[in-house]
Amino acid sequence: MNILMVLTSHDKLGDTGKKTGFWLEEFAAPYYAFLDAGVNITIASPAGGQPPLDPSSDTPDAQTKDTKRFKEDSEAQERLATTKKLADMKAEDFDSVFYPGGHGPMWDLAVDKNSIELIETFIKQDKPVAFVCHSPAALKNVKIDGEYLVKGKTVTGFSNTEEEAVQLTDVVPFLLEDVLKANGGNYEKSSDWESFVVEDGLLITGQNPASSEEAAKRLMAKIQA
């Protein structure tokens, strides 16, 4: 099984002067779920090389068993530091793709032409795609046969109430929940910060960081089905 993981290359949190990027738990939890299952993992980002880590995801209270494992895993750190360029990735080389979140994807992956085309190609090749937390932002401009991919599909992603809780409602370029609804998605959510994953056809989405491992496991199950 070959899975591509796509991370953001965007590191500026709007006009705040603060840094953003990918969320460590949302990379580490799926990474180890895949690794421990014997999956071949390739990591890519728009710029290639070391993707920016959201510093908020690296605080002591944000640590999990997987983030702690990552900090002691020099091989994983090296793979993360040398991500491949997204433009060089081809859907036919992989069984699936997984997008970790963090606020970064709201700015770059939402409009990245290579990412949009890649997701569309995976769907056309009848391969599942998975997103967690803010990474469903990468679906914002994805269309199949002229219609938004999320139209008529049950989806989730970082909720408006969660965005309010982290006080970034007025910083992000759009509210993910609102965009998923505007594009015709049937948006569902659970309580804030609770693991919640939904599947609809080839599309798997998780609501928040706590949903990362479950989304990865659902993806593997779908590939093997």
Side-chain angles (χ1 to χ4, degrees), residues 75-132:
E75 182 184 346
Q77 291 168 27
E78 173 62 23
R79 292 178 75 175
L80 185 67
T82 55
T83 69
K84 299 185 183 305
K85 283 208 166 181
L86 187 56
D88 297 332
M89 299 297 100
K90 293 182 172 61
E92 52 261 36
D93 295 334
F94 303 97
D95 297 301
S96 181
V97 64
F98 187 101
Y99 280 69
H103 280 88
M106 301 280 283
W107 279 274
D108 64 349
L109 294 175
V111 295
D112 187 283
K113 288 184 172 62
N114 293 309
S115 175
I116 293 165
E117 186 179 335
L118 190 72
I119 296 167
E120 291 171 350
T121 305
F122 271 107
I123 295 297
K124 287 171 182 172
Q125 292 180 0
D126 203 32
K127 295 172 180 175
V129 294
F131 307 82
V132 69

Side-chain angles (χ1 to χ4, degrees), residues 65-206:
K65 64 175 174 37
D66 295 306
T67 63
K68 290 171 184 170
R69 182 176 171 186
F70 173 75
K71 289 183 182 304
E72 296 172 358
D73 186 344
S74 57
E75 182 184 346
Q77 291 168 27
E78 173 62 23
R79 292 178 75 175
L80 185 67
T82 55
T83 69
K84 299 185 183 305
K85 283 208 166 181
L86 187 56
D88 297 332
M89 299 297 100
K90 293 182 172 61
E92 52 261 36
D93 295 334
F94 303 97
D95 297 301
S96 181
V97 64
F98 187 101
Y99 280 69
H103 280 88
M106 301 280 283
W107 279 274
D108 64 349
L109 294 175
V111 295
D112 187 283
K113 288 184 172 62
N114 293 309
S115 175
I116 293 165
E117 186 179 335
L118 190 72
I119 296 167
E120 291 171 350
T121 305
F122 271 107
I123 295 297
K124 287 171 182 172
Q125 292 180 0
D126 203 32
K127 295 172 180 175
V129 294
F131 307 82
V132 69
C133 200
H134 284 92
S135 75
L139 295 166
K140 184 174 187 278
N141 294 296
V142 173
K143 293 183 176 181
I144 301 293
D145 299 327
E147 298 277 13
Y148 288 113
L149 174 60
V150 301
K151 184 178 180 181
K153 290 192 169 60
T154 302
V155 291
T156 191
F158 204 63
S159 66
N160 289 353
T161 52
E162 287 167 322
E163 205 67 81
E164 288 165 17
V166 296
Q167 300 181 327
L168 291 173
T169 301
D170 297 328
V171 174
V172 291
F174 55 89
L175 290 172
L176 181 56
E177 178 181 328
D178 290 356
V179 159
L180 291 171
K181 290 175 178 175
N183 287 359
N186 301 319
Y187 179 87
E188 292 184 354
K189 66 174 184 175
S190 182
S191 304
D192 290 358
W193 319 116
E194 295 292 320
S195 177
F196 182 68
V197 178
V198 293
E199 284 182 51
D200 194 327
L202 295 170
L203 184 58
I204 298 169
T205 46

